[in-house]
């Protein structure tokens, strides 16, 4: 924390205490509280500042940062937009908006916002470094090594210790096959960071990836474990008092068990254009399959968007929700279908009519009871992968903040979450009239043409050579999930990645073993 901010905060606190404080004083003290880690205090001060002066743009940007940190990305974007409507040249608002867009996976818009920062704050070294580092991170993610190095070096010229730029450079070295260079970049930066922070967390993930490539599983596991501990600490306040996400899944399963399915239609006439849900579990190959299908002419694919939000809130949040849902007639269901298609249109940026929709979201497996009733003609592709690879990958991966992400901060939490969703999925398949094809990940990567022919026949699409060019599709449309780099590389066989970490998985094997056997991965 800078001495200037601390001095200004003292003066602002004195003014407010004397009853002569202004909106600017509230904002200054709010930023001090935010930097000190007091999110609740900062939030109250920023909101007080806006009550005193609704055009206090610095308070708007401060609120945006707090919303982003808590995963409320829509609220964060709205605050940024409000600030920019008042002060279009305010570089700090453009920078925060870039952070928000990047956190939400809207990378083209993030790049545009970073560009606005560089155009509007050419002499502000801190903002310039942050913008270059953000552009470096996006370039590294997209495999654009030359652009990534350029922006990372520009950021480090302004701020030699900028962790975002260091992480981007380490990622580029990893992509280039030089894991040792990545490790040499990251370790000195980590030595300067004794406390948990989002920046340290990302450096630890990069160190874990480097050690994994160097076949040093002990060091890799230690780095991943520290990164997950940082994630848990950083977001502890957000999740304080909340039960694990797996308990929500178990509640949905209880509601499904109590649901009267006698009135559910057993199938429905196929729509003019296929409607496809790609489900399964995070890190199972869903993003790969989505981009394979998106390569076909006439398809429109969306990834991990809350398209069922209205039905979610109405029927999954309460214990009696699914029994109430089952009792609705067609007229009562219509608004939820309309809301779904409106959200699809918003996600696509266009009317989805006339296209084959691919709605990919592994955690929409929780919504199978809603899908079965609202869209009885939809086709469900259920991606399966070795449970050990899935749970290990969820543990080692840096996820954006979500309800499930906290469950992935320990191997036991990830294993129990996986078990809960597999139990719900099995119950849904047994009870609901859903048209499902199981897609084993290993067959997709090891026998691509045969598996994709089977998929196309199931969903009612013609197989073409375009399917083999999914890596180009991924590069062209952008991928916002954690699988971006793998999908962009083309067909990548990620089977049996868990094996070097068998000793760390041993304590959760009793949870996973039934699923290893059921899904055919015991041999």
């Amino acid at each position: 924390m800078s001495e200037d901010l601390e001095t200004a905060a003292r003066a602002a606190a004195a003014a407010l205490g004397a009853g002569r404080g202004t909106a600017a004083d509230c904002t200054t003290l709010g930023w001090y509280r935010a930097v000190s880690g007091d999110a609740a205090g900062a939030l109250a001060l920023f909101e007080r500042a806006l009550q005193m002066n609704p055009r206090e743009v610095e308070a708007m940007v401060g609120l945006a940062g707090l919303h982003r940190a808590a995963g409320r990305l829509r609220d964060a974007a709205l605050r940024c937009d409000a600030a920019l409507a008042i002060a279009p040249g305010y570089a700090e608002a453009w920078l925060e908006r870039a952070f928000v867009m990047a956190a939400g996976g809207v990378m083209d818009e993030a790049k545009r916002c970073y560009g606005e920062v560089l155009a509007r704050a050419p002499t502000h070294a801190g903002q310039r470094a942050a913008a270059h580092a953000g552009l470096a991170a996006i370039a590294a993610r997209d495999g654009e090594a030359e652009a990534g190095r350029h922006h990372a070096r520009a950021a480090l010229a302004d701020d030699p210790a900028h962790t975002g730029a260091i992480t981007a450079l380490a990622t580029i070295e990893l992509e280039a096959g030089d894991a040792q260079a990545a490790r040499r970049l990251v370790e000195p930066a980590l030595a300067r960071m004794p406390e948990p922070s989002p920046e340290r967390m990302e450096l630890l993930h990069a160190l874990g990836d480097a050690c994994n490539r160097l076949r040093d599983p002990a060091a890799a596991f230690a780095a991943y474990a520290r990164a997950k501990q940082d994630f848990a600490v950083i977001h502890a306040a957000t999740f304080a008092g909340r039960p694990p996400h797996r308990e929500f899944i178990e509640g949905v399963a209880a509601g499904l068990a109590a649901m009267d399915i006698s009135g559910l239609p057993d199938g429905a006439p196929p729509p003019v254009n296929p409607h496809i849900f790609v489900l399964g579990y995070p890190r199972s190959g869903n993003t790969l399959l989505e981009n394979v299908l998106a390569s076909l002419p006439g398809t429109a694919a969306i990834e991990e968007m809350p398209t069922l939000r209205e039905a979610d809130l109405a029927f999954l949040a309460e214990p009696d929700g699914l029994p109430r849902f089952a009792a609705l007639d067609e007229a009562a269901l219509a608004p939820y279908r309309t809301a779904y298609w409106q959200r699809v249109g918003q996600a696509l940026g266009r009317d989805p009519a006339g296209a084959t929709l691919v709605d990919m979201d592994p955690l929409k497996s929780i919504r199978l009871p809603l899908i079965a009733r609202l869209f009885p003609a939809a086709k469900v592709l259920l991606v399966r992968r070795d449970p050990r690879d899935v749970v290990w990958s969820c543990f080692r991966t840096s996820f954006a903040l979500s309800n499930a992400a906290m469950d992935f901060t320990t191997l036991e939490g990830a294993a129990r979450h996986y078990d809960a969703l597999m139990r719900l999925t099995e119950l849904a398949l047994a009870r609901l009239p859903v048209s499902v094809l199981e897609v084993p990940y290993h067959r997709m990567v090891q026998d691509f043409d045969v598996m994709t022919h089977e998929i196309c026949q199931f969903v009612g699409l013609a197989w073409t050579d375009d399917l083999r060019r999914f890596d180009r599709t991924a590069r062209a449309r952008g991928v916002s999930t954690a699988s971006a780099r793998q999908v962009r590389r083309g067909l990548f066989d990620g089977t049996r990645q868990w094996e070097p970490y068998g000793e760390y998985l041993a304590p959760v094997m009793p949870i996973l073993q039934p699923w290893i056997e059921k899904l055919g991965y015991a041999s």
Side-chain angles (χ1 to χ4, degrees):
M1 183 189 306
S2 73
E3 290 183 11
D4 288 346
L5 177 58
E6 193 166 355
T7 301
R10 284 200 198 98
L16 290 165
R20 52 184 172 77
T22 64
D25 290 321
C26 286
T27 299
T28 298
L29 193 54
W31 278 106
Y32 175 79
R33 294 278 179 84
V35 172
S36 301
D38 180 8
L43 183 71
L45 283 160
F46 289 141
E47 289 178 341
R48 183 179 170 189
L50 288 170
Q51 288 170 358
M52 297 169 73
N53 176 13
R55 296 176 65 83
E56 182 72 19
V57 292
E58 289 188 20
M60 294 177 188
V61 174
L63 280 174
L66 294 174
H67 288 318
R68 171 172 56 85
R72 299 186 294 268
L73 299 183
R74 183 176 183 276
D75 291 338
L78 290 173
R79 289 294 185 180
C80 290
D81 291 346
L84 289 167
I86 296 168
Y90 187 33
E92 193 66 34
W94 283 111
L95 184 60
E96 180 56 44
R97 193 173 194 277
F99 292 157
V100 173
M101 294 298 116
V106 190
M107 296 307 181
D108 284 346
E109 183 62 12
K111 288 167 70 172
R112 185 181 78 83
C113 293
Y114 284 131
E116 292 283 353
V117 175
L118 294 175
R120 296 172 187 276
T123 61
H124 192 296
Q127 291 175 347
R128 195 169 60 223
H132 276 301
L135 290 166
I138 294 172
R141 182 187 180 94
D142 292 345
E144 298 171 355
E146 184 176 348
R149 290 182 194 279
H150 164 74
H151 286 295
R153 287 168 179 157
L156 292 171
D158 283 321
D159 179 359
H162 198 291
T163 55
I166 293 168
T167 302
L169 275 179
T171 300
I172 291 166
E173 296 295 353
L174 278 170
E175 287 277 299
D178 194 343
Q180 191 61 57
R183 189 172 187 173
R184 285 196 299 268
L185 280 165
V186 169
E187 287 182 328
L190 282 169
R192 300 189 294 267
M193 306 179 73
E195 300 297 327
S197 68
E199 294 77 18
R200 190 177 83 160
M201 183 181 71
E202 292 306 319
L203 282 171
L204 284 166
H205 275 292
L207 177 60
D209 290 345
C211 294
N212 179 63
R213 293 276 187 92
L214 293 168
R215 303 185 191 281
D216 186 351
F221 180 81
Y224 292 135
R226 286 179 64 201
K228 291 298 188 180
Q229 288 166 7
D230 278 10
F231 185 95
V233 169
I234 292 163
H235 299 296
T238 301
F239 286 89
R242 290 194 201 179
H245 188 243
R246 66 174 170 81
E247 290 189 15
F248 169 71
I249 297 171
E250 291 165 351
V252 174
L256 174 56
M259 185 176 169
D260 180 5
I261 63 167
S262 60
L264 268 64
D266 188 7
V272 174
N273 299 103
H275 182 191
I276 304 165
F277 288 92
V278 177
L279 311 180
Y281 197 82
R283 310 300 295 159
S284 291
N286 301 78
T287 302
L288 168 61
L289 180 53
E290 175 213 357
N291 280 278
V292 168
L293 293 171
S295 302
L296 289 174
T299 57
I302 52 178
E303 58 184 29
E304 299 186 4
M305 299 297 291
T307 48
L308 288 163
R309 181 170 176 77
E310 284 71 20
D312 246 11
L313 294 174
F315 304 112
L316 294 189
E318 301 296 332
D320 67 339
L322 285 177
R324 285 191 293 107
F325 176 65
L328 297 181
D329 60 19
E330 286 298 307
L333 292 173
Y336 297 102
R337 292 191 179 110
T338 299
Y340 173 87
W341 288 111
Q342 286 175 342
R343 286 189 174 272
V344 167
Q346 291 168 2
L348 292 173
R350 62 183 175 86
D351 187 342
T356 292
L357 178 66
V358 179
D359 187 342
M360 186 283 287
D361 187 345
L363 291 182
K364 272 201 184 86
S365 299
I366 302 169
R367 283 81 185 169
L368 273 168
L370 304 178
I371 292 169
R373 185 84 201 278
L374 292 173
F375 306 108
K379 299 290 187 178
V380 173
L381 297 172
L382 191 62
V383 188
R384 303 287 209 181
R385 188 183 179 192
D386 186 326
R388 294 162 293 192
D389 276 326
V390 170
V391 167
W392 170 246
S393 189
C394 285
F395 178 71
R396 65 172 284 195
T397 296
S398 177
F399 287 104
L401 181 63
S402 69
N403 289 330
M406 195 64 95
D407 288 52
F408 300 153
T409 55
T410 66
L411 279 172
E412 181 180 354
R416 293 195 181 282
H417 188 277
Y418 176 86
D419 177 64
L421 187 49
M422 291 304 103
R423 289 176 184 273
L424 171 58
T425 302
E426 292 303 306
L427 179 63
L429 297 183
R431 297 208 73 210
L432 300 172
V434 185
S435 181
V436 176
L437 175 68
E438 295 197 15
V439 181
Y441 167 81
H442 66 277
R443 284 193 59 203
M444 212 166 23
V445 297
Q446 296 171 3
D447 202 358
F448 182 83
D449 282 3
V450 172
M451 188 73 249
T452 52
H453 269 99
E454 188 176 337
I455 290 167
C456 286
Q457 183 176 14
F458 172 74
V459 299
L461 294 172
W463 190 97
T464 75
D465 287 343
D466 293 319
L467 289 162
R468 296 175 178 148
R469 293 187 279 274
F470 66 87
D471 53 329
R472 299 180 202 173
T473 301
R475 283 193 292 271
R477 62 192 289 265
V479 176
S480 62
T481 70
S483 303
R485 285 198 294 274
Q486 293 96 319
V487 174
R488 200 175 18 78
R489 289 205 302 259
L491 208 55
F492 168 75
D493 189 345
T495 58
R496 308 194 76 83
Q497 291 189 343
W498 66 271
E499 287 184 332
Y501 303 92
E503 65 178 289
Y504 305 107
L505 284 163
V508 301
M509 285 302 293
I511 302 170
L512 300 181
Q513 193 61 43
W515 300 109
I516 293 169
E517 294 174 3
K518 181 174 181 58
L519 299 180
Y521 292 100
S523 58

